[in-house]
């Protein structure tokens, strides 16, 4: 097994992962566990940066964990765990907050977007310090590569800056991680507004993988395209059609140009129908596997606890080193 490590996380805030989460991130998690020491995390603490119903959050966390396993993350090949089970994440965050400039954090576009959506005054301080928690997640595992979608690139840059800053002030402690962004699927677009990324907070144009098959198929069949009829991969001029081609190509393991050629002369209807079929061919067995895992909560909790214990084995000594280097006196 390689000494190189990969880390990534996903929020449990919706009842179901959306297609962008799967294509942009989790699919790559599954692949990378074959060649890296892999740590994958349901980042429940990140979800607390916006209001949550406690019972819903508990259910969403169990469901998110089941979805990671159902997607192919294998506890025998990787370490899947829940962020709040490893207290070191919150502890290192505090140290990193002390190293982050207020102006630097203010430039994070995700904070600007999310805080303006609900009114800047009502945005939590947690939403502001979200990227430092993400940096702590990654740095605790001395991570080399972080598979994420394009929307996380800026947070990754901040993580790299914080690692370098810490290392140069206090001595070499953290690995400076690289973003692992697979260009083709880095930004799956909203089906109703193909200028925006697919996102659970815009449910109209978002495919939730655990939704009933009919709902999924209908959303894809009614995807916004354009007033032409020619199927062509041209993200700038034809974002809706190109998005459908990207989805279909990724799910059928083909090159996007090859897929586009197959629809020359056949119009948008056939493309939409095949994209819907491809999504369902993944989503239906995925949902069945999620249900199976959730039907045995005792076993799921056991796997979770095992993941947390293995994560802590790596995170605890890294946190202890960081605490010691910044001058905190050890407890005993
Ligand atoms: N549309 C997308 N295309 C490609 N990758 C995406 N990711 C999210 N949306 C897309 C990637 O999924 C991983 C998990 O992201 P997250 O935990 O930040 O999920 P999220 O932000 O809760 O997902 P949403 O739907 O995007 O939520 P909101 O509406 O809150 O913004 C990450 O690697 C992310 O890049």
């Amino acid at each position: 097994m390689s000494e190189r490590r990969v880390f990534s996380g996903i929020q449990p805030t919706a009842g179901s992962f959306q297609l962008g989460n799967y294509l942009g991130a989790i699919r790559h998690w599954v692949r990378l566990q074959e060649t890296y020491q892999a740590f994958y995390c349901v980042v429940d603490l990140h979800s607390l940066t916006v209001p949550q119903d406690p019972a819903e959050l508990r259910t969403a966390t169990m469901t998110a964990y089941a979805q990671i396993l159902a997607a192919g993350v294998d506890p025998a090949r990787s370490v899947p765990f829940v962020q709040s089970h490893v207290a070191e994440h919150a502890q290192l965050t505090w140290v990193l907050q002390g190293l982050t400039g207020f102006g630097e954090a203010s430039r994070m576009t995700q904070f600007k977007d999310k805080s303006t959506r609900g009114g800047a005054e009502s945005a939590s301080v947690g939403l502001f310090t979200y990227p430092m928690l993400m940096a702590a997640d990654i740095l605790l595992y001395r991570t080399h590569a972080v598979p994420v979608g394009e929307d996380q690139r800026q947070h990754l840059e901040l993580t790299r800056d914080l690692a370098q800053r810490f290392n140069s002030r206090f001595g070499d402690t953290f690995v400076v991680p690289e973003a692992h962004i697979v260009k083709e699927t880095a930004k799956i677009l909203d089906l109703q507004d193909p200028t925006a990324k697919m996102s659970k907070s815009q449910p109209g144009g978002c495919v939730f993988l655990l939704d009933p098959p009919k709902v999924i198929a209908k959303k894809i069949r009614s995807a916004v395209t354009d007033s032409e009829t020619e199927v062509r991969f041209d993200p700038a001029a034809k974002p809706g059609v190109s998005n459908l081609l990207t989805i279909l190509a990724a799910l059928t393991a083909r090159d996007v140009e090859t897929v586009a050629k197959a629809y020359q002369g056949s119009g948008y209807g056939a493309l939409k129908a095949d994209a819907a079929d491809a999504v369902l061919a993944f989503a239906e067995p995925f949902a069945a596997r999620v249900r199976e895992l959730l039907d045995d909560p005792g076993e799921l909790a056991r796997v979770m606890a095992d993941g947390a214990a293995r994560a802590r084995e790596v995170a605890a000594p890294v946190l202890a080193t960081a605490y010691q280097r910044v001058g905190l006196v050890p407890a005993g």
Side-chain angles (χ1 to χ4, degrees), residues 9-11 13 18 20-21 24-25 114 130 148-149 151-152 185-188 197-201:
I10 184 156
Q11 294 196 67
T13 34
Q18 44 101 343
N21 298 145
K114 291 196 176 179
Y130 180 115
V148 284
D151 58 329
Q152 294 300 325
T185 49
K187 192 173 174 185
I188 301 299
K197 83 161 185 129
M198 184 178 285
S199 166
K200 65 178 171 339
S201 44

Side-chain angles (χ1 to χ4, degrees), residues 260-283:
K261 275 203 191 89
Y263 292 91
Q264 270 171 13
S266 59
Y268 295 167
L271 171 63
K272 286 181 180 178
D274 289 352
D277 286 349
V279 173
L280 289 181
F282 169 75

Side-chain angles (χ1 to χ4, degrees), residues 28 43 52 69 73 84 95 99 129 136 138-139 150 167 182 325:
H28 306 301
V43 293
Q52 297 292 338
L69 302 189
V73 167
S84 64
V95 175
L99 288 182
T129 57
I138 295 165
L139 298 182
E150 184 59 43
N167 288 349
V182 177
R325 296 241 160 108

Side-chain angles (χ1 to χ4, degrees), residues 19 191 207 215-223 244 272 275-276 279:
L19 185 60
L191 295 174
V207 171
V215 174
I216 293 180
K218 189 163 177 231
K219 275 192 179 161
I220 297 171
R221 290 217 174 88
S222 49
L244 290 169
K272 286 181 180 178
V279 173

Side-chain angles (χ1 to χ4, degrees), residues 11-16 42 44 47-48 51-64:
Q11 294 196 67
T13 34
S16 165
V42 176
D44 54 348
S47 298
L48 298 180
Q52 297 292 338
D53 173 84
E56 278 174 22
L57 179 60
R58 269 189 287 273
T59 307
T61 302
M62 295 303 279
T63 312

